[in-house]
Every structure is written in structure tokens, then in C-alpha cells.
Amino acid sequence: MDAQRVYALLQQACMLLEDAGDFHIAAHVGQAMALVEGRYAVGGDHLAERDGTCGRPDPVEHLN
């Protein structure tokens, strides 16, 4: 299975659903994206980490 492709298709479906105003369904697709991301380590943040950049700021840094 190509997890990156599955994630990209889910992401595209989520954007199209949000554009159409189907927010409830988009939320379920978002949950599916989170499951694929967690299981197969795909998604924007994982790609940024692989490339040596930080995808998300460290929340602890902002507290100091």
C-alpha cells in the first residue's frame, strides 16, 4: 500500500468536502487522515522532520 498516496487522496477529499460545506463528513475524513498519519508516519510534519526542518514549533519553547 502506498500510504503517502492514500494520505494525499484523503487530504484532497477533505479540502473538497470543506469547500462544499460538508464539514461533518470532512471531520470524519480528517480522522482517517490522522489514523493513516499515525500508523504510517506520513503527512506534512513527518516530511518536514525527514528533511531536517521543523514542521511544528515546540510548544514548550513558547512557554519560556
Side-chain angles (χ1 to χ4, degrees):
M1 179 183 79
D2 184 355
Q4 185 64 40
R5 177 164 162 70
V6 170
Y7 184 86
L9 290 170
L10 287 169
Q11 188 174 38
Q12 182 181 16
C14 191
M15 288 187 290
L16 291 170
L17 287 163
E18 286 178 348
D19 289 345
D22 289 327
F23 300 110
H24 184 80
I25 299 171
H28 288 285
V29 174
Q31 289 176 337
M33 288 173 57
L35 290 170
V36 171
E37 182 178 4
R39 171 81 167 131
Y40 298 103
V42 296
D45 295 330
H46 296 289
L47 293 176
E49 289 172 12
R50 182 191 69 194
D51 294 337
T53 61
C54 183
R56 290 184 194 152
D58 186 1
V60 177
E61 286 181 20
H62 297 291
L63 295 176
N64 295 330

